[in-house]
Amino acid sequence: MQAEIVLISPNKEVTQLVEKVRNEMDSSVFIIESSFKAAVTLVKDIISQDPDRIRVIACGGATLKLLRKELPSAHMVDIHPTEHEIVLALDQARMFGKEIGLLLPGSENLPVIEKLSGVLGLQVKVYEYNNWRELEIQVVNARRNGCKVVLGVGEKISALVRKEGLQFISVSAGENTVRNALSWAKDIIEAEIREKVNVEQMNAISAYAHEGIIVVNEENIVSVFNPVASRLFGLSEAEVVGRPLQELSFCRCLVEIFEGLEKRLGYVHQVLNGTVLVNKIPIIDQQCPKGILVTFMEIPKVQDETKNRKELFTKGQVARYYFDDIIHVNSKMSSVIAKARKYANTDCTVLIRGESGTGKELLAQSVHNEQYVRSKGPFIAVNCATLDDNLFKSELFGYTEGSFTGASKGGKPGLFELANGGTLFLDEIGKMKLDQQGNLLRVLQEKEVRRIGSDRVIPVDVRVIAASNENLEDLINKGPFREDLYFRLNVLNLVLPPLRERREDIPDQIGFFLQRFSNKYSKSIFRLPPLVIKKLSNMDWPGNSRQLEHFLERCVVLADSERDASEIVLELLEEEFAEAVFSVKSKGRPTEDQISVGISTLAEMNSEIVRRIRARAKLSNSELALKLGISRPTLSKMLNYK
């Protein structure tokens, strides 16, 4: 049956109001017009007939207190009159005199009543009650104390007050109060459904996981306990799920894992049926703890996976890079990485676009390593531009023994078989020959291969990531690239910005490359002056990060220390970009009497002009100063400007 909100209405007026709001909000609300024990009995009867029918109970006053006592685990929403609604009732009561009695369940709203009665200049005597017997006594007390009018909620209370000869004024919840209560009730139901879906999804995933998975919620109640956990701890799912940890104290090896909220990764723990490697991760939402996720694996399996990882590493089939290895501060790059992290958790094909040297394979390896299951499998990278026409099928699909002259004994698996359970990275996909593209398309569609010389079809579980630095749309229009393959590859796409569009990343990359090459060549060149870094950052670097990397490696090789590194960087920079600058700006080779400099401060441009003239003319400092018409101290100052 559809999940419902049950609302306890004290009178017909509130019932009509709820019906109006219910229709406007299109909510499933079942109205019970009753109060006190009679209302509790009706609610319990409904639950006994269909336990899943009532998700939230909305009511107020003493009835709410009785329900909370009888049904402590049920979701309740309190409907109580607002200050405005109490003021209206008090104002209506003042016509009967200043001596007013107010029937109030428990000590609810006492400070508000005292404040409002003082503002209105009324003497309001509050009569508290918790059940019907106490209510009858308090109504008699109100009459004896001289009250002419009594305020309360509900038709049963109205009849009791009038029976004692007193006027009765109803303090009823208004439309906004009812609307807010129903909205709150709907939010509770939706949150409960979301949590149930999340738990069901987690249970579905964990049921087939090779690792043990346990989840406890913010109330320390176990919500997930998968079959691996059941086997290792010697407890069934039914014995654990839905129970708080303190009730499982008999299983000490389970409870002690959840002691404390700190994050702990990769520690060894002894359980009932073995030794496991544990990862404990707190679940935090908006800085509030919402539970704890624990995953664990038997030590022998950890050793097997480590061995498998070493074998893949030896064969060069391991992705070495992760998202954290991508050096950036640029917002565009952050957006690309955020999108890539989401893509990583799917098995869809990914097409990475970007200029040469922007880090397409680095991103592909990061996507592979982000997905927990595939990261344990191989990462096979192949450059499509190098695939030989004659050997393409044998490389991609493999072959059987004797299938052609020169075939290896025993046959050989192809790239798709080698990448089974992992990722196949197809770099420079735009360079793949047209007839080769058809063969690739079939594998992507059917997810199976057949070795050359064999009639047996081999299913493959491979995630394909392709990359290109070309305009594939132009290639499609001109004919060298198949449109159907393009759409098959371009399910998810990532576009890497060139380095010139994220210049703020260059200083960090410079520091990283200097560190790497200084360690590689046993040198101590870890930093450059700000002026040199600024100059490097202002260059366009058509080869992107790869060009910058190779340029800095050359600089470190030639430099002996940080002192002469700056000079070498500036000299090599002239060589690196001289031809590129003239080819772009003048479409030709520079003449002997031409010099090109980048736009910067006047002092920087003067210094660069002098350096280039000296490098080209090969004059001594004295001759150069004379030629330029400046003094030697001025020349030295320009040459040494940093």
Side-chain angles (χ1 to χ4, degrees), residues 214-229:
I214 307 173
V215 179
V216 300
N217 63 19
E218 57 192 308
E219 297 172 346
N220 272 343
I221 294 174
V222 180
S223 57
V224 175
F225 194 78
N226 79 336
V228 177

Side-chain angles (χ1 to χ4, degrees), residues 575-590:
E575 296 176 10
E576 187 85 6
F577 286 93
E579 184 174 342
V581 168
F582 281 106
S583 64
V584 172
K585 297 192 176 178
S586 61
K587 304 297 182 183
R589 299 289 299 175

